[in-house]
């Protein structure tokens, strides 16, 4: 762990980072700065949305997952896969083939996350009935959105429904199933195949739950190549019958945009993509909209089909899953004799354990805990802002003039990092040229600031 | 003690709410209790939209200290002839056009009242209205 408080699956590899600042410029919570020619993550500001990962031109941002061989630490090895995983594969590769190959790779069981949806739909409707005043209710599905609300919209934390997402419901069911056959929990390893960094953070550092029942996480892009390679090489036509049982149409599409909103009662809206979500939450916070019952908010464009660890084009994935949902009833389903029972057989138990604790706000916007101090700091920020050029060029190593002003007030930066101010200081003779160059080097590193040194003209 | 001022343009619904958004940002940075922020911002938003909907122009003045948040909206406009009636739940002076845009559907003044600790309204027909909203921080 980076930090005692927040686990991030996202890491910036210093050896690979070229300090191009692309990530700093796209981060929706301004969680990145450039120092010594490398990007640095501010742990408490990062919400694990993965926007930085998408834009890194040299793949220096990595998403840490567990070593695949860790599955062999367990006697029973369950792959918990979201439906977007099978949606990654081209149409000619069947679900059965995918499942067979995964069994060959070492899993003993495969279970689809969205089975949990069957328990969840009733639970959400019941929650809405029991909490008639709190509106709009906000889905607990996307961990990046939950973190976004905690840090930027603290007044809305109580709108998040205190109901587990499908992943946790399904994991609870698996453990219960094994326990029912007398198998102790230590022998069961549940490995989640994740489409994003946010889900990893949610598993390693759960919000609203004390611990997670998931034993490990495997990145979806990694497993996708592993499985696809095996399928291609062997032209495998072994067809294991999946142990998971078939998903219903609504469960298949749950993680796509409108998957939740289309299935719940009342006026429900689905918003995807992080900037759209931020824009909408601003409106909710002002109570500009007061007739919405339920909000499905997802950090990724096209929701989990667009997760940062997916490989296939998000629109194709969504289309495949929708087709899969429509064709659902056409072919009768074979049931694996030793497969999992239908999740509804444990409905009562799962419903009794579906609540999560209240989600705590942890604002990153406040300048100080103490209001009087915060007022002093705000005053200073405002005065510094008047001196800055307001061009948001990023040369100071902060994503905006405002961010630099706040960093200065919090003692994390100096005003002469601003190139405009530096020039004036040099002109006034208050800073030497050498000092100016050395400030630039502290931000951008030696190599970037010295490329021109030995050249004469261009 | 801090003081902020933002102008409000009458009739420009594209910008309706921008002053309240600014106010919200400020209060978040000052670590004001989220529940109080919510009340203050909702009251300010309604009052701001009222100015946009009914007046020609206005100004929102915000004074903050560690004990209270005081918002004053002063507008030049038609004024409110009967404040008592305007305060009744469900009554709105918004024109049909304004209502169509989803603003002023009878929520205006009563909603401001329920979200403020102290509310005073003074108005002169043909000249304008002054709305003063105060919320206390430590109750
Ligand atoms: S994951 Fe998102 S919030 Fe975290 S640093 Fe990257 S862009 Fe910023
Ligand atoms: S939308 Fe889905 S894939 Fe994207 S961050 Fe949220 S949970 Fe992860």
């Amino acid at each position: 762990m980076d930090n005692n408080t927040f686990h991030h699956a996202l890491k910036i590899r210093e050896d690979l980072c070229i300090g191009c600042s692309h990530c700093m410029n796209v981060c929706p919570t301004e969680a990145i700065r450039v120092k010594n020619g490398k990007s640095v993550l501010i742990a408490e500001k990062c919400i694990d949305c993965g926007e930085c990962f998408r834009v890194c031109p040299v793949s220096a941002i990595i998403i840490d997952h567990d070593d695949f061989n860790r599955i062999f630490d367990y006697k029973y090895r369950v792959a918990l896969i979201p439906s977007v995983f099978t949606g990654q594969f081209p149409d000619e590769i069947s679900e059965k083939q995918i499942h067979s190959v995964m069994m060959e790779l070492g899993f003993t069981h495969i279970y689809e996350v969205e089975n949990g949806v069957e328990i969840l739909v009733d639970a959400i409707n019941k929650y809405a009935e029991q909490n008639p005043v709190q509106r709009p209710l906000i889905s607990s599905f996307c961990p990046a959105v939950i973190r976004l609300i905690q840090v930027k919209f603290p007044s809305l934390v109580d709108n998040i429904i205190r109901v587990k997402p499908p992943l946790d419901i399904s994991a609870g069911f698996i453990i219960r199933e094994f326990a029912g056959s007398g198998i102790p929990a230590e022998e069961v390893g549940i490995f989640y195949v994740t489409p994003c960094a946010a889900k990893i953070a949610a598993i390693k550092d759960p919000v609203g739950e004390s611990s997670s029942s998931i034993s490990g996480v495997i990145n979806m892009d990694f497993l996708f190549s592993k499985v696809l390679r095996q399928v291609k090489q062997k032209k495998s036509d072994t067809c294991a019958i999946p142990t998971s049982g078939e998903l219903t149409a609504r469960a298949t599409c749950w993680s796509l945009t409108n998957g939740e909103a289309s299935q719940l009662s009342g006026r429900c809206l689905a918003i995807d993509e992080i900037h759209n979500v931020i824009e909408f939450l601003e409106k909710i916070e002002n109570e500009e909209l007061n007739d919405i019952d339920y909000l499905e908010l997802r950090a990724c464009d096209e929701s989990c089909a667009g997760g940062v660890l997916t490989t296939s084009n998000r629109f194709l994935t969504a289309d495949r899953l929708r087709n899969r949902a429509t064709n659902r009833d056409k072919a009768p389903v074979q049931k694996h004799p030793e497969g999992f029972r239908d999740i509804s057989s444990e409905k009562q138990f799962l419903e009794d354990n579906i609540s999560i604790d209240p989600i705590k706000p942890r604002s990153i916007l406040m300048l100080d805990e103490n209001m009087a101090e915060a007022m002093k700091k705000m005053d200073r920020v405002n005065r510094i802002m008047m001196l800055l050029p307001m061009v948001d060029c990023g040369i100071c190593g902060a994503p905006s003039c405002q961010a630099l002003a706040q960093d200065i007030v919090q003692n994390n930066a100096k005003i002469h990092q601003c190139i405009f101010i530096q020039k004036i200081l040099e002109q006034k003779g208050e800073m030497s040229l050498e000092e100016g160059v050395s400030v630039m080097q502290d931000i951008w590193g030696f190599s970037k600031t010295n490329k021109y040194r030995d050249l004469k003209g261009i | 003690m801090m003081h902020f001022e933002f102008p409000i343009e009458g009739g420009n619904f594209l910008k309706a709410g921008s002053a309240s958004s600014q106010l919200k940002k400020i209060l978040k940075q000052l670590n004001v209790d989220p529940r109080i922020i919510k009340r203050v911002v909702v009251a300010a938003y309604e009052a701001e939209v009222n100015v946009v909907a009914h007046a020609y122009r206005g100004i929102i003045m915000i004074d903050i200290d560690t004990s209270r948040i005081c918002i004053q909206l002063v507008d030049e406009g038609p004024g409110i002839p009967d404040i008592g009636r305007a305060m009744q739940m469900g009554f709105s002076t918004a024109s049909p056009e304004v209502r169509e845009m989803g603003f002023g559907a009878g929520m205006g003044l009563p909603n401001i009242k329920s979200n403020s600790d102290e509310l005073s309204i003074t108005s002169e027909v043909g000249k304008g209205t002054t709305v003063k909203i105060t919320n206390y921080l430590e109750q």
Side-chain angles (χ1 to χ4, degrees):
Chain A
M1 254 193 221
D2 280 347
N3 166 307
N4 297 330
T5 9
F6 312 105
H7 176 94
H8 298 295
L10 262 128
K11 303 253 147 57
I12 300 172
R13 277 189 53 179
E14 234 187 75
D15 53 335
L16 299 178
C17 175
I18 54 166
C20 67
S21 80
H22 292 188
C23 54
M24 176 178 88
N25 293 323
V26 297
C27 174
T29 56
E30 299 198 319
I32 297 176
R33 300 291 182 274
V34 179
K35 287 199 173 103
N36 289 317
K38 308 284 170 190
S39 286
V40 184
L41 193 85
I42 305 171
E44 68 271 19
K45 292 191 178 184
C46 170
I47 58 168
D48 300 282
C49 67
E51 291 300 304
C52 53
F53 176 91
R54 291 182 206 270
V55 298
C56 179
V58 293
S59 305
I61 301 181
I62 54 159
I63 297 176
D64 243 359
H65 64 157
D66 291 299
D67 178 3
F68 187 79
N69 287 322
R70 268 202 53 212
I71 71 168
F72 298 107
D73 293 353
Y74 299 87
K75 188 161 171 208
Y76 301 92
R77 304 177 285 275
V78 188
L80 189 50
I81 55 171
S83 64
V84 287
F85 178 63
T86 40
Q88 298 295 295
F89 293 86
D91 293 329
E92 59 277 12
I93 298 175
S94 72
E95 276 174 72
K96 278 188 183 172
Q97 262 175 302
I98 300 166
H99 286 223
S100 308
V101 169
M102 286 178 64
M103 305 291 265
E104 286 163 24
L105 289 175
F107 290 107
T108 58
H109 296 75
I110 293 167
Y111 196 68
E112 287 190 279
V113 173
E114 285 81 7
N115 278 292
V117 166
E118 300 312 322
I119 307 294
L120 183 59
V121 173
D122 289 347
I124 297 178
N125 285 330
K126 205 181 279 171
Y127 185 92
E129 257 169 51
Q130 286 165 355
N131 296 277
V133 184
Q134 193 72 267
R135 287 293 179 274
L137 296 173
I138 298 175
S139 167
S140 61
F141 180 90
C142 174
V145 168
I146 294 188
R147 282 159 171 72
L148 172 73
I149 293 174
Q150 285 183 292
V151 304
K152 275 188 98 155
F153 300 94
S155 71
L156 296 176
V157 286
D158 293 333
N159 292 59
I160 302 170
I161 53 165
R162 287 169 50 195
V163 173
K164 286 180 184 168
L167 174 60
D168 303 55
I169 299 172
S170 291
F173 173 67
I174 295 170
I175 289 177
R176 179 94 173 158
E177 281 290 84
F178 278 100
S181 340
I183 296 165
E186 313 84 82
E187 292 187 5
V188 185
I190 304 177
F191 287 83
Y192 174 58
V193 179
T194 183
C196 62
K199 291 279 189 195
I200 305 182
I203 288 166
K204 307 274 176 185
D205 185 12
V207 175
E209 287 177 78
S210 50
S211 71
S212 165
S213 32
I214 313 249
S215 330
V217 190
I218 297 164
N219 286 354
M220 191 174 284
D221 54 353
F222 168 84
L223 194 63
F224 171 74
S225 335
K226 216 170 157 73
V227 171
L228 188 62
R229 206 175 131 97
Q230 192 109 335
V231 172
K232 293 263 184 213
Q233 281 179 353
K234 302 200 339 172
K235 298 246 175 289
S236 161
D237 50 4
T238 41
C239 280
I241 306 164
T243 51
S244 182
E246 284 279 324
L247 293 180
T248 60
R250 67 174 177 187
T252 309
C253 295
W254 191 258
S255 66
L256 302 180
T257 301
N258 225 0
E260 291 173 74
S262 61
Q263 299 303 321
L264 299 169
S265 18
R267 184 171 180 218
C268 306
L269 252 71
I271 319 276
D272 61 3
E273 203 276 328
I274 191 82
H275 299 92
N276 296 337
V277 169
I278 292 173
E279 186 186 327
F280 211 83
L281 287 171
E282 296 277 355
K283 287 190 182 297
I284 297 295
E285 209 175 30
N286 292 3
E287 293 196 5
E288 279 176 54
L289 314 157
N290 33 32
D291 51 355
I292 298 171
D293 294 302
Y294 189 84
L295 280 178
E296 166 199 314
L297 305 175
R298 308 276 176 81
C300 300
D301 187 30
E302 292 292 311
S303 296
C304 301
V308 291
L309 291 170
T310 58
T311 313
S312 161
N313 176 282
R314 58 193 183 280
F315 301 103
L316 292 177
T317 304
D319 186 56
R320 280 188 207 117
L321 291 184
R322 289 202 182 95
N323 286 339
R324 184 178 153 194
T326 335
N327 298 331
R328 177 60 64 241
D329 305 326
K330 293 194 182 143
V333 187
Q334 256 179 309
K335 270 209 105 133
H336 191 292
E338 282 148 36
F340 291 97
R341 289 181 300 158
D342 197 285
I343 196 164
S344 59
S345 50
E346 287 294 344
K347 191 166 191 217
Q348 194 58 49
F349 168 80
L350 295 168
E351 276 180 356
D352 292 346
N353 290 288
I354 211 159
S355 289
I356 52 175
D357 297 335
I359 290 166
K360 292 194 189 76
R362 48 178 187 85
S363 170
I364 54 168
L365 302 166
M366 62 177 175
L367 291 166
D368 203 286
E369 292 258 3
N370 175 299
M371 190 178 169
E373 267 322 295
M375 284 169 74
K376 275 189 217 151
K377 287 184 179 173
M378 181 178 283
D379 205 48
R380 275 194 69 203
V381 169
N382 290 344
R383 273 185 288 132
I384 294 169
M385 294 275 280
M386 308 245 267
L387 305 175
L388 296 176
M390 303 310 282
V391 292
D392 296 340
C393 65
I395 296 179
C396 58
S400 62
C401 294
Q402 165 114 37
L404 177 69
Q406 288 177 358
D407 286 357
I408 294 170
V409 168
Q410 306 291 14
N411 287 325
N412 294 321
K414 295 266 179 317
I415 192 156
H416 59 229
Q417 284 177 226
C418 172
I419 188 79
F420 291 78
I421 297 212
Q422 210 182 98
K423 287 284 147 216
I424 299 300
L425 288 174
E426 281 170 8
Q427 192 189 36
K428 292 209 290 187
E430 289 171 21
M431 189 180 206
S432 71
L433 289 171
E434 283 67 31
E435 281 169 325
V437 171
S438 123
V439 170
M440 282 297 120
Q441 270 174 16
D442 287 345
I443 303 166
W444 296 100
F446 183 81
S447 60
K448 263 194 222 69
T449 39
N450 282 278
K451 289 187 175 177
Y452 192 65
R453 190 167 294 278
D454 300 325
L455 254 151
K456 289 193 181 66
I458 293 187
Chain B
M1 175 75 149
M2 301 192 84
H3 178 84
F4 301 90
E5 283 186 21
F6 304 103
I8 308 171
E9 247 179 89
N12 187 354
F13 280 98
L14 300 177
K15 284 203 192 147
S18 65
S20 322
S21 287
Q22 293 283 347
L23 170 62
K24 182 172 71 181
K25 250 183 230 153
I26 293 167
L27 297 179
K28 280 187 185 181
Q29 291 184 355
L30 294 179
N31 196 27
V32 172
D33 182 327
R35 282 163 303 188
I36 298 177
I37 298 187
K38 200 161 186 172
R39 277 167 65 77
V40 172
V41 171
V42 169
Y45 177 76
E46 290 286 355
E48 183 184 352
V49 169
N50 275 345
V51 174
V52 176
H54 307 295
Y56 317 125
R57 69 187 67 82
I59 184 165
I60 178 166
M61 290 175 281
I62 300 160
D63 286 291
I64 304 171
D65 62 37
T66 47
S67 66
R68 57 153 191 61
I69 298 158
C70 183
I71 305 166
Q72 230 187 116
L73 295 101
V74 182
D75 73 41
E76 287 168 44
I80 307 171
D82 185 345
I83 294 173
R85 206 161 100 80
M87 285 298 294
Q88 279 162 30
M89 206 41 116
F91 178 83
S92 170
T93 52
S95 65
E97 186 194 334
V98 169
R99 281 162 183 265
E100 230 164 65
M101 299 184 67
F103 295 105
M107 292 292 287
L109 291 181
N111 203 25
I112 298 177
K113 190 167 171 56
S114 62
N115 282 293
S116 50
D117 295 338
E118 273 165 29
L119 172 67
S120 91
I121 304 173
T122 49
S123 189
E124 201 176 322
V125 175
K127 283 197 113 167
T129 305
T130 297
V131 175
K132 207 174 155 189
I133 300 163
T134 309
N135 281 290
Y136 293 96
L137 293 175
E138 282 144 46
Q139 277 124 350

